[in-house]
Structure formats: structure tokens, C-alpha cells
Amino acid sequence: MQSNDARIIRGAAIPTAVVGVLAVAIGAVTAGVDGAGGVALGVLVAAVFFAGGQLSLGYVGRRWPETFFGAAFLIYTTQMGFLLGLLLLLRDASFLDGRAFAAGVLAGTAAWLGGQVRAHGKLKTLYVEPESTSASPGGRP
């Protein structure tokens, strides 16, 4: 993992964790134990999905940069497929509140994206590879 990837994930995970703790407390007050569990699971799902996508894109970007956009589309559609499957699996779950779960996913998503945008904005990423001063084009020093 490159240091920029680690900074971005850390910059997104910390606010997501803070929002998650607050959301679980709100879920517990408004909907009891089932609400707290639903919110916690929702925030966890959002964080795992976004972190997994970031790690996957970082790997593909380093290994096969020419396939980056295709891989990004494939990773995104795969994530949405897994999310659909998870929602279908949990739709009749008696151990969590469905509205609290949805609120947790939304809160986790908003916190993750906000943290990710902030982390990207603070990075000093080179968009062009700088030329080496020891070798110039044409073989002249």
C-alpha cells in the first residue's frame, strides 16, 4: 500500500468512526438495541465497502494503470451487487431495525466521502512525472 492510499483511508476512516459512534448512540436512544445494532452494521458496511474499493483501486492503479477506469467500473458494480445481495439477505432480519440500518449506511457513506475528499485535498499528488535532472531528452546532460 502506498503512503497516499494509507493517508486517504486513514483520513476517511477516522471521521467515519466518530460519526459511527454518534450514530449508534442516537440509534440506541431512538430505536433501542435493534436500532443501535442496525446503525452499527450500516456504518460498518459503508466503511468496509469504501475501504475495500480504495485498496483495490490502489492495487490496480500501481499494477495495471492502463486498466484503471475499467477496473474502477468493475469494482463499483461488484460492490453494488454485493450491497444488493446483503440488503436482500437482511431485509427480514429480526435482529436489526431496517430504518436504522439504512440511516447507518447513509451516515457512514457521508462521513467516508467527506473524509476522503478532505484527505485528497490535503495530499500533494504529482500528476506529471518530473524529468530527472541527470538525463535530458536526446541524451544531452
Side-chain angles (χ1 to χ4, degrees):
M1 176 187 307
Q2 290 182 340
S3 63
N4 284 349
D5 293 336
R7 286 184 194 142
I8 291 169
I9 290 175
R10 191 176 330 116
I14 292 171
T16 303
V18 170
V19 167
V21 168
L22 293 173
V24 167
I26 293 169
V29 168
T30 59
V33 175
D34 290 345
V39 169
L41 184 61
V43 171
L44 181 66
V45 163
V48 167
F49 273 52
F50 282 109
Q54 181 72 34
L55 289 171
S56 301
L57 282 176
Y59 177 75
V60 169
R62 281 188 311 279
R63 188 92 191 246
W64 303 286
E66 65 278 358
T67 64
F68 183 79
F69 288 113
F73 180 73
L74 180 65
I75 289 167
Y76 176 75
T77 55
T78 303
Q79 285 179 318
M80 293 303 105
F82 279 131
L83 184 58
L84 175 64
L86 183 64
L87 290 175
L88 291 174
L89 182 70
L90 294 175
R91 71 177 161 197
D92 296 326
S94 61
F95 61 89
L96 62 87
D97 184 318
R99 288 183 186 213
F101 176 71
V105 170
L106 290 174
T109 298
W112 186 277
L113 291 176
Q116 191 173 20
V117 167
R118 185 172 187 271
H120 270 290
K122 292 176 74 174
L123 286 178
K124 305 231 184 302
T125 306
L126 297 175
Y127 294 101
V128 178
E129 292 289 328
E131 285 189 37
S132 172
T133 57
S134 63
S136 63
R140 294 185 306 253

